[in-house]
Amino acid sequence: MSPPEIRDYSKEATFKGRRLDFSLGNKPRAWRLADASCRLIIVAGSAVLEYGNSPEAEVAKHKTYQGVEMKEKVEKTLYVGVDYHKNSFTAAYLDCLTGILNTKKYEAEELEKFKNHLTTFRKKGYSVKVAVETLTGVTFFTEEIRNCVDEITYVNTNKFKNILKGVNSAKNDRIDAETIAIYYEMGLLPTVYVPTRKEKELRIKMKERDSFVDMRKGVINRLHSLLLEYGIKTNKRELTTKKGMERIKEETKKKVPPSLRETIWRQIETIEYLTDKIRETEEDIKSFIGEDEELKGKVELLKSIPGVGDIVAIAFISAVCNEERFENGDKVAAYFGLVPRVNSSGDEVRNGRITKKGDSRTRNKIIQATRALLNSKLDNSVKRFYEGLVKKGLEKKKALIAAARKLVKVMFAVLRERRQFMDFVENKCNLCVGG
Protein backbone atom coordinates (compact mmCIF):
# COMPACT_ATOMS: atom_id res chain seq x y z
CA MET A 1 0.00 0.00 0.00
CA SER A 2 1.47 3.35 -1.04
CA PRO A 3 1.97 6.00 1.68
CA PRO A 4 -0.45 8.95 1.89
CA GLU A 5 0.24 11.94 -0.30
CA ILE A 6 2.64 14.35 1.41
CA ARG A 7 1.87 18.03 1.07
CA ASP A 8 3.31 21.07 2.81
CA TYR A 9 0.39 22.92 4.43
CA SER A 10 2.60 25.35 6.39
CA LYS A 11 2.07 28.05 3.72
CA GLU A 12 -1.65 27.48 3.19
CA ALA A 13 -4.37 29.39 5.02
CA THR A 14 -7.05 26.67 5.13
CA PHE A 15 -7.40 22.92 5.10
CA LYS A 16 -10.71 21.26 4.24
CA GLY A 17 -12.41 24.61 4.79
CA ARG A 18 -10.95 25.02 8.29
CA ARG A 19 -8.60 27.78 9.37
CA LEU A 20 -4.99 26.84 10.22
CA ASP A 21 -2.77 29.08 12.34
CA PHE A 22 1.01 28.69 12.10
CA SER A 23 1.86 32.08 13.57
CA LEU A 24 3.01 31.27 17.14
CA GLY A 25 6.43 29.80 17.88
CA ASN A 26 8.74 27.86 15.63
CA LYS A 27 6.55 24.76 15.39
CA PRO A 28 3.63 24.55 12.97
CA ARG A 29 0.23 24.50 14.66
CA ALA A 30 -3.03 23.13 13.29
CA TRP A 31 -5.81 24.32 15.60
CA ARG A 32 -9.52 23.61 15.84
CA LEU A 33 -9.74 20.78 13.31
CA ALA A 34 -13.08 19.58 14.63
CA ASP A 35 -13.57 16.68 12.20
CA ALA A 36 -12.51 13.60 14.22
CA SER A 37 -11.81 11.56 11.06
CA CYS A 38 -9.46 14.17 9.60
CA ARG A 39 -5.82 13.19 9.08
CA LEU A 40 -3.30 15.86 8.19
CA ILE A 41 0.28 15.44 6.95
CA ILE A 42 2.60 18.42 7.43
CA VAL A 43 6.23 18.71 6.37
CA ALA A 44 8.13 20.92 8.84
CA GLY A 45 11.77 21.19 7.87
CA SER A 46 13.00 17.61 7.77
CA ALA A 47 10.14 16.25 9.90
CA VAL A 48 7.09 14.55 8.46
CA LEU A 49 4.19 14.69 10.93
CA GLU A 50 0.86 12.92 10.73
CA TYR A 51 -1.85 14.57 12.87
CA GLY A 52 -5.04 13.26 14.39
CA ASN A 53 -7.38 15.12 16.74
CA SER A 54 -9.01 12.49 18.91
CA PRO A 55 -7.68 12.63 22.50
CA GLU A 56 -8.23 8.89 22.94
CA ALA A 57 -5.97 8.12 19.96
CA GLU A 58 -2.31 8.87 19.51
CA VAL A 59 -2.06 12.57 18.75
CA ALA A 60 1.00 12.43 16.50
CA LYS A 61 2.75 9.56 14.71
CA HIS A 62 6.23 10.26 13.41
CA LYS A 63 6.87 8.13 10.35
CA THR A 64 9.47 7.96 7.63
CA TYR A 65 7.94 8.85 4.27
CA GLN A 66 10.05 8.70 1.13
CA GLY A 67 13.26 8.56 3.14
CA VAL A 68 12.55 11.77 5.15
CA GLU A 69 13.23 11.47 8.90
CA MET A 70 13.26 13.76 11.93
CA LYS A 71 16.72 15.07 12.78
CA GLU A 72 16.15 16.03 16.42
CA LYS A 73 13.99 14.88 19.31
CA VAL A 74 11.53 17.23 21.01
CA GLU A 75 10.31 16.67 24.57
CA LYS A 76 6.87 15.09 24.58
CA THR A 77 4.73 17.38 26.73
CA LEU A 78 0.95 17.63 26.77
CA TYR A 79 -0.56 20.89 28.03
CA VAL A 80 -4.20 20.52 29.12
CA GLY A 81 -6.38 23.58 29.68
CA VAL A 82 -9.55 22.91 31.68
CA ASP A 83 -12.62 25.14 31.88
CA TYR A 84 -14.28 23.67 34.97
CA HIS A 85 -17.93 23.82 36.07
CA LYS A 86 -19.73 21.78 38.71
CA ASN A 87 -21.87 19.87 36.17
CA SER A 88 -19.37 19.60 33.31
CA PHE A 89 -15.90 20.62 32.19
CA THR A 90 -14.12 21.15 28.89
CA ALA A 91 -10.53 20.04 28.32
CA ALA A 92 -8.23 21.29 25.55
CA TYR A 93 -5.23 19.04 24.74
CA LEU A 94 -2.21 20.82 23.24
CA ASP A 95 0.64 18.54 22.14
CA CYS A 96 3.92 20.45 22.44
CA LEU A 97 5.58 17.98 20.08
CA THR A 98 3.20 18.45 17.17
CA GLY A 99 1.39 21.70 17.96
CA ILE A 100 -2.09 20.25 17.42
CA LEU A 101 -4.91 21.27 19.73
CA ASN A 102 -7.93 19.05 20.46
CA THR A 103 -10.93 19.89 22.62
CA LYS A 104 -13.38 17.58 24.36
CA LYS A 105 -16.28 18.21 26.72
CA TYR A 106 -16.93 15.91 29.71
CA GLU A 107 -19.87 15.61 32.06
CA ALA A 108 -19.10 15.64 35.78
CA GLU A 109 -19.79 11.90 35.92
CA GLU A 110 -17.11 11.31 33.25
CA LEU A 111 -14.20 12.27 35.48
CA GLU A 112 -12.84 8.71 35.35
CA LYS A 113 -12.88 8.88 31.56
CA PHE A 114 -10.85 12.10 31.68
CA LYS A 115 -8.38 10.48 34.08
CA ASN A 116 -8.01 7.53 31.72
CA HIS A 117 -7.19 9.89 28.83
CA LEU A 118 -4.49 11.58 30.93
CA THR A 119 -3.08 8.20 31.98
CA THR A 120 -3.00 7.06 28.33
CA PHE A 121 -0.84 10.00 27.35
CA ARG A 122 1.55 9.34 30.22
CA LYS A 123 1.91 5.72 29.18
CA LYS A 124 2.96 6.97 25.74
CA GLY A 125 5.79 8.94 27.31
CA TYR A 126 4.12 12.34 27.59
CA SER A 127 4.69 14.71 30.48
CA VAL A 128 1.12 15.79 31.27
CA LYS A 129 0.56 19.30 32.69
CA VAL A 130 -2.92 20.55 33.59
CA ALA A 131 -4.04 24.15 34.18
CA VAL A 132 -7.48 24.93 35.62
CA GLU A 133 -9.19 28.12 36.78
CA THR A 134 -9.60 28.68 40.53
CA LEU A 135 -13.35 28.23 40.95
CA THR A 136 -15.53 26.72 43.68
CA GLY A 137 -15.16 22.94 43.77
CA VAL A 138 -11.92 22.88 41.79
CA THR A 139 -9.97 21.49 44.77
CA PHE A 140 -11.90 18.22 44.58
CA PHE A 141 -11.26 18.06 40.84
CA THR A 142 -7.50 18.61 41.15
CA GLU A 143 -7.14 16.14 44.02
CA GLU A 144 -8.90 13.49 41.91
CA ILE A 145 -6.53 13.88 38.94
CA ARG A 146 -3.32 14.58 40.92
CA ASN A 147 -1.97 11.04 40.48
CA CYS A 148 -2.65 11.13 36.72
CA VAL A 149 -0.57 14.23 35.89
CA ASP A 150 2.95 15.56 36.34
CA GLU A 151 1.96 19.14 37.17
CA ILE A 152 -1.17 21.05 38.22
CA THR A 153 -1.42 24.83 37.83
CA TYR A 154 -4.17 27.12 39.09
CA VAL A 155 -5.09 29.99 36.76
CA ASN A 156 -5.56 33.48 38.18
CA THR A 157 -9.20 34.00 37.18
CA ASN A 158 -9.23 37.79 37.50
CA LYS A 159 -6.18 38.33 35.28
CA PHE A 160 -7.25 35.61 32.84
CA LYS A 161 -10.52 37.44 32.13
CA ASN A 162 -8.53 40.30 30.64
CA ILE A 163 -6.66 37.86 28.39
CA LEU A 164 -9.91 36.35 27.12
CA LYS A 165 -11.26 39.80 26.22
CA GLY A 166 -8.21 40.48 24.07
CA VAL A 167 -8.01 37.03 22.47
CA ASN A 168 -11.56 36.62 21.23
CA SER A 169 -14.76 38.64 21.19
CA ALA A 170 -16.79 35.45 21.65
CA LYS A 171 -16.70 33.46 24.89
CA ASN A 172 -17.53 29.83 25.45
CA ASP A 173 -16.09 26.84 27.27
CA ARG A 174 -14.10 25.63 24.25
CA ILE A 175 -12.41 28.99 23.68
CA ASP A 176 -11.62 29.33 27.39
CA ALA A 177 -10.07 25.86 27.60
CA GLU A 178 -8.06 26.31 24.38
CA THR A 179 -6.76 29.72 25.46
CA ILE A 180 -5.63 28.28 28.81
CA ALA A 181 -3.74 25.48 27.06
CA ILE A 182 -2.09 27.80 24.51
CA TYR A 183 -0.96 30.39 27.07
CA TYR A 184 0.18 27.59 29.40
CA GLU A 185 2.42 26.16 26.68
CA MET A 186 3.88 29.61 25.92
CA GLY A 187 4.58 30.31 29.58
CA LEU A 188 2.29 33.36 29.62
CA LEU A 189 -0.49 31.99 31.82
CA PRO A 190 -1.25 34.09 34.96
CA THR A 191 -1.19 31.64 37.86
CA VAL A 192 -1.82 31.54 41.60
CA TYR A 193 -0.15 29.53 44.34
CA VAL A 194 -1.48 26.01 44.88
CA PRO A 195 -1.66 25.45 48.68
CA THR A 196 -0.92 22.07 50.22
CA ARG A 197 -3.70 20.11 51.90
CA LYS A 198 -2.61 21.30 55.37
CA GLU A 199 -2.39 24.92 54.23
CA LYS A 200 -5.85 24.61 52.66
CA GLU A 201 -7.31 23.25 55.91
CA LEU A 202 -5.80 26.12 57.89
CA ARG A 203 -7.30 28.64 55.47
CA ILE A 204 -10.73 27.01 55.78
CA LYS A 205 -10.58 27.20 59.58
CA MET A 206 -9.55 30.87 59.47
CA LYS A 207 -12.40 31.65 57.06
CA GLU A 208 -14.86 29.95 59.41
CA ARG A 209 -13.62 32.07 62.31
CA ASP A 210 -13.78 35.27 60.23
CA SER A 211 -17.32 34.48 59.04
CA PHE A 212 -18.51 34.23 62.68
CA VAL A 213 -16.75 37.52 63.46
CA ASP A 214 -18.49 39.22 60.51
CA MET A 215 -21.90 37.88 61.57
CA ARG A 216 -21.39 39.07 65.14
CA LYS A 217 -20.28 42.47 63.92
CA GLY A 218 -23.48 42.82 61.88
CA VAL A 219 -25.72 41.94 64.85
CA ILE A 220 -23.76 44.30 67.15
CA ASN A 221 -24.19 47.20 64.72
CA ARG A 222 -27.95 46.61 64.48
CA LEU A 223 -28.32 46.32 68.25
CA HIS A 224 -26.19 49.42 68.84
CA SER A 225 -28.34 51.57 66.56
CA LEU A 226 -31.57 50.15 68.04
CA LEU A 227 -30.48 50.94 71.61
CA LEU A 228 -29.62 54.51 70.62
CA GLU A 229 -33.23 54.95 69.50
CA TYR A 230 -34.20 54.65 73.18
CA GLY A 231 -31.34 56.66 74.64
CA ILE A 232 -29.20 53.70 75.71
CA LYS A 233 -25.57 54.53 74.92
CA THR A 234 -23.16 51.63 74.54
CA ASN A 235 -19.62 50.88 73.53
CA LYS A 236 -19.58 48.24 70.78
CA ARG A 237 -16.82 46.38 72.59
CA GLU A 238 -19.06 46.33 75.66
CA LEU A 239 -21.59 44.27 73.69
CA THR A 240 -19.17 41.31 73.63
CA THR A 241 -18.74 41.10 77.43
CA LYS A 242 -21.06 39.50 79.99
CA LYS A 243 -20.87 42.54 82.28
CA GLY A 244 -21.86 44.84 79.44
CA MET A 245 -24.74 42.61 78.42
CA GLU A 246 -26.12 42.54 81.96
CA ARG A 247 -26.07 46.35 82.13
CA ILE A 248 -27.89 46.63 78.79
CA LYS A 249 -30.57 44.18 79.90
CA GLU A 250 -31.23 46.22 83.05
CA GLU A 251 -31.47 49.50 81.10
CA THR A 252 -33.70 47.83 78.52
CA LYS A 253 -36.23 46.93 81.21
CA LYS A 254 -36.47 50.62 82.17
CA LYS A 255 -36.36 52.43 78.82
CA VAL A 256 -37.55 50.05 76.08
CA PRO A 257 -41.27 49.22 75.52
CA PRO A 258 -42.21 45.61 76.45
CA SER A 259 -43.06 44.85 72.80
CA LEU A 260 -39.41 45.36 71.76
CA ARG A 261 -37.61 43.86 74.75
CA GLU A 262 -37.75 40.34 73.36
CA THR A 263 -36.28 41.57 70.07
CA ILE A 264 -33.31 43.12 71.87
CA TRP A 265 -32.77 40.08 74.10
CA ARG A 266 -32.81 37.75 71.09
CA GLN A 267 -30.08 39.85 69.51
CA ILE A 268 -28.11 39.71 72.75
CA GLU A 269 -28.47 35.90 72.78
CA THR A 270 -27.29 35.79 69.16
CA ILE A 271 -24.19 37.83 70.03
CA GLU A 272 -23.43 35.52 72.96
CA TYR A 273 -23.88 32.45 70.74
CA LEU A 274 -21.56 33.83 68.04
CA THR A 275 -18.99 34.83 70.68
CA ASP A 276 -18.95 31.21 71.91
CA LYS A 277 -18.54 29.96 68.33
CA ILE A 278 -15.62 32.34 67.73
CA ARG A 279 -13.97 31.08 70.92
CA GLU A 280 -14.51 27.46 69.82
CA THR A 281 -13.04 28.01 66.36
CA GLU A 282 -10.03 29.79 67.82
CA GLU A 283 -9.38 26.87 70.16
CA ASP A 284 -9.75 24.50 67.22
CA ILE A 285 -7.24 26.55 65.18
CA LYS A 286 -4.72 26.63 68.05
CA SER A 287 -5.10 22.87 68.50
CA PHE A 288 -4.52 22.37 64.75
CA ILE A 289 -1.38 24.54 64.94
CA GLY A 290 -0.15 22.71 68.03
CA GLU A 291 -0.17 19.37 66.20
CA ASP A 292 2.34 20.64 63.62
CA GLU A 293 5.78 21.59 64.95
CA GLU A 294 6.65 23.72 61.90
CA LEU A 295 3.47 25.81 62.08
CA LYS A 296 3.79 26.10 65.85
CA GLY A 297 7.37 27.36 65.48
CA LYS A 298 6.34 29.98 62.90
CA VAL A 299 3.57 31.31 65.16
CA GLU A 300 5.97 31.63 68.11
CA LEU A 301 8.47 33.52 65.94
CA LEU A 302 5.86 36.02 64.77
CA LYS A 303 4.55 36.52 68.30
CA SER A 304 8.00 37.81 69.26
CA ILE A 305 7.05 40.99 67.35
CA PRO A 306 5.24 43.58 69.56
CA GLY A 307 1.55 43.84 68.67
CA VAL A 308 1.37 40.47 66.87
CA GLY A 309 -0.82 37.91 68.63
CA ASP A 310 -1.98 34.38 67.81
CA ILE A 311 -4.74 35.30 65.35
CA VAL A 312 -2.66 37.83 63.39
CA ALA A 313 0.29 35.42 63.23
CA ILE A 314 -1.88 32.51 62.07
CA ALA A 315 -3.71 34.68 59.51
CA PHE A 316 -0.36 35.85 58.09
CA ILE A 317 0.98 32.29 57.87
CA SER A 318 -2.19 30.95 56.23
CA ALA A 319 -2.08 33.71 53.60
CA VAL A 320 1.65 33.55 52.83
CA CYS A 321 1.96 29.74 53.19
CA ASN A 322 5.40 29.12 51.70
CA GLU A 323 7.55 32.23 52.16
CA GLU A 324 10.03 31.00 49.55
CA ARG A 325 7.59 31.98 46.79
CA PHE A 326 8.25 35.68 47.55
CA GLU A 327 11.48 37.41 46.58
CA ASN A 328 11.39 39.96 49.39
CA GLY A 329 9.19 41.80 51.86
CA ASP A 330 8.07 44.34 49.26
CA LYS A 331 6.47 41.53 47.26
CA VAL A 332 4.59 40.36 50.36
CA ALA A 333 3.35 43.90 51.05
CA ALA A 334 2.11 44.10 47.45
CA TYR A 335 0.44 40.68 47.89
CA PHE A 336 -1.62 42.15 50.76
CA GLY A 337 -2.43 45.32 48.78
CA LEU A 338 -0.49 47.63 51.09
CA VAL A 339 1.52 49.34 48.34
CA PRO A 340 0.40 52.54 46.57
CA ARG A 341 -0.85 52.61 43.00
CA VAL A 342 1.73 54.09 40.65
CA ASN A 343 0.69 56.28 37.72
CA SER A 344 3.64 57.32 35.58
CA SER A 345 3.84 59.23 32.32
CA GLY A 346 7.20 60.25 30.96
CA ASP A 347 9.24 61.75 33.80
CA GLU A 348 6.20 62.28 36.00
CA VAL A 349 5.47 59.64 38.65
CA ARG A 350 2.43 59.81 40.93
CA ASN A 351 1.65 57.54 43.86
CA GLY A 352 -2.04 57.05 44.62
CA ARG A 353 -3.94 55.11 47.25
CA ILE A 354 -3.02 51.55 48.18
CA THR A 355 -4.10 48.83 45.75
CA LYS A 356 -6.09 46.82 48.37
CA LYS A 357 -5.41 43.63 46.44
CA GLY A 358 -5.23 40.24 48.10
CA ASP A 359 -6.86 39.01 51.31
CA SER A 360 -8.71 41.99 52.81
CA ARG A 361 -9.33 40.24 56.16
CA THR A 362 -5.63 39.53 56.73
CA ARG A 363 -4.76 43.08 55.62
CA ASN A 364 -7.21 44.51 58.18
CA LYS A 365 -5.75 42.27 60.91
CA ILE A 366 -2.26 43.53 60.09
CA ILE A 367 -3.45 47.16 60.29
CA GLN A 368 -5.10 46.45 63.66
CA ALA A 369 -1.87 44.82 64.87
CA THR A 370 0.00 47.93 63.74
CA ARG A 371 -2.36 50.11 65.79
CA ALA A 372 -1.75 47.91 68.83
CA LEU A 373 2.00 48.14 68.26
CA LEU A 374 1.87 51.95 67.99
CA ASN A 375 -0.21 52.19 71.17
CA SER A 376 2.24 49.94 73.01
CA LYS A 377 4.49 51.51 75.62
CA LEU A 378 7.38 49.41 74.32
CA ASP A 379 9.79 51.25 72.07
CA ASN A 380 10.38 49.57 68.71
CA SER A 381 11.59 50.34 65.19
CA VAL A 382 8.12 50.31 63.58
CA LYS A 383 6.82 52.80 66.14
CA ARG A 384 9.83 55.08 65.60
CA PHE A 385 9.34 54.79 61.85
CA TYR A 386 5.68 55.90 62.21
CA GLU A 387 6.55 58.81 64.49
CA GLY A 388 9.26 59.95 62.08
CA LEU A 389 6.76 60.09 59.20
CA VAL A 390 4.26 62.07 61.29
CA LYS A 391 6.96 64.59 62.26
CA LYS A 392 7.75 65.10 58.58
CA GLY A 393 4.13 66.18 58.04
CA LEU A 394 2.57 62.96 56.66
CA GLU A 395 -1.08 62.36 57.57
CA LYS A 396 -1.56 59.90 60.42
CA LYS A 397 -3.71 57.54 58.31
CA LYS A 398 -1.07 57.37 55.57
CA ALA A 399 1.66 56.95 58.16
CA LEU A 400 -0.34 54.06 59.67
CA ILE A 401 -0.48 52.29 56.31
CA ALA A 402 3.25 52.86 55.82
CA ALA A 403 3.89 51.40 59.29
CA ALA A 404 1.66 48.40 58.45
CA ARG A 405 3.68 47.88 55.28
CA LYS A 406 6.88 47.94 57.33
CA LEU A 407 5.38 45.49 59.84
CA VAL A 408 4.62 43.06 56.99
CA LYS A 409 8.25 43.27 55.85
CA VAL A 410 9.43 42.61 59.42
CA MET A 411 7.08 39.59 59.77
CA PHE A 412 8.32 38.19 56.48
CA ALA A 413 11.96 38.67 57.53
CA VAL A 414 11.29 36.83 60.80
CA LEU A 415 9.82 33.84 58.93
CA ARG A 416 12.51 33.84 56.25
CA GLU A 417 15.41 34.02 58.72
CA ARG A 418 13.71 31.68 61.24
CA ARG A 419 14.83 33.96 64.05
CA GLN A 420 12.94 35.96 66.65
CA PHE A 421 12.39 39.68 66.25
CA MET A 422 15.47 41.78 67.11
CA ASP A 423 14.89 45.51 67.48
CA PHE A 424 18.32 47.03 67.04
CA VAL A 425 17.96 49.78 64.45
CA GLU A 426 21.59 50.78 64.61
CA ASN A 427 22.62 47.30 63.41
CA LYS A 428 20.31 47.55 60.34
CA CYS A 429 19.40 43.86 60.74
CA ASN A 430 16.73 42.31 58.53
CA LEU A 431 14.63 41.32 61.52
CA CYS A 432 14.33 44.97 62.51
CA VAL A 433 13.98 46.85 59.25
CA GLY A 434 12.17 44.12 57.29
CA GLY A 435 14.79 43.87 54.56
Side-chain angles (χ1 to χ4, degrees), residues 215-418:
M215 284 189 283
R216 185 180 69 175
K217 184 178 179 180
V219 179
I220 287 175
N221 288 338
R222 289 193 294 273
L223 180 58
H224 178 74
S225 60
L226 179 59
L227 292 173
L228 287 177
E229 292 289 333
Y230 295 94
I232 302 175
K233 296 181 180 180
T234 61
N235 185 330
K236 290 184 180 181
R237 184 174 296 180
E238 187 183 16
L239 295 175
T240 60
T241 63
K242 289 185 177 180
K243 186 177 179 180
M245 290 296 190
E246 291 298 327
R247 183 188 72 80
I248 292 168
K249 287 181 180 179
E250 290 298 323
E251 287 202 39
T252 301
K253 292 178 182 178
K254 300 175 182 178
K255 299 181 179 181
V256 178
S259 58
L260 278 178
R261 288 175 191 171
E262 290 296 330
T263 300
I264 292 175
W265 290 342
R266 277 196 297 271
Q267 293 189 23
I268 290 174
E269 289 176 359
T270 303
I271 293 171
E272 291 174 343
Y273 171 80
L274 291 173
T275 301
D276 291 337
K277 287 300 175 184
I278 292 169
R279 192 178 297 112
E280 289 176 13
T281 53
E282 289 178 352
E283 291 299 323
D284 182 32
I285 291 169
K286 290 177 182 178
S287 176
F288 180 82
I289 293 290
E291 295 174 357
D292 189 288
E293 289 299 324
E294 183 180 2
L295 290 176
K296 184 179 178 181
K298 287 182 177 181
V299 171
E300 293 302 320
L301 287 173
L302 290 177
K303 286 172 65 178
S304 67
I305 304 172
V308 177
D310 285 306
I311 297 301
V312 176
I314 295 170
F316 186 84
I317 291 169
S318 67
V320 172
C321 293
N322 183 5
E323 59 272 9
E324 293 181 0
R325 67 193 182 103
F326 295 98
E327 296 179 13
N328 50 50
D330 291 323
K331 299 291 185 182
V332 184
Y335 179 73
F336 286 117
L338 286 169
V339 296
R341 299 178 186 273
V342 178
N343 296 318
S344 61
S345 178
D347 297 332
E348 186 179 4
V349 179
R350 292 182 180 178
N351 291 328
R353 296 183 177 182
I354 59 173
T355 61
K356 292 188 177 181
K357 292 183 178 179
D359 186 356
S360 60
R361 287 190 174 94
T362 303
R363 180 173 60 252
N364 291 334
K365 289 183 179 69
I366 292 171
I367 293 174
Q368 293 300 325
T370 306
R371 283 199 177 98
L373 184 149
L374 297 177
N375 293 329
S376 172
K377 294 182 180 179
L378 297 174
D379 187 28
N380 56 79
S381 58
V382 178
K383 188 174 183 178
R384 288 192 290 272
F385 173 74
Y386 169 83
E387 291 173 348
L389 292 176
V390 174
K391 286 180 181 179
K392 290 179 181 179
L394 189 66
E395 295 179 18
K396 288 187 177 181
K397 288 184 178 180
K398 292 183 178 180
L400 173 65
I401 297 300
R405 182 163 58 247
K406 185 175 181 64
L407 178 60
V408 167
K409 295 168 68 176
V410 171
M411 294 172 73
F412 175 72
V414 166
L415 288 183
R416 182 184 57 193
E417 301 291 336
R418 290 292 192 273

Side-chain angles (χ1 to χ4, degrees), residues 144-160:
E144 285 291 312
I145 67 171
R146 189 172 295 278
N147 296 329
C148 305
V149 301
D150 298 286
E151 178 181 287
I152 295 178
T153 299
Y154 282 5
V155 182
N156 188 319
T157 304
N158 292 330
K159 292 183 179 180
F160 187 64

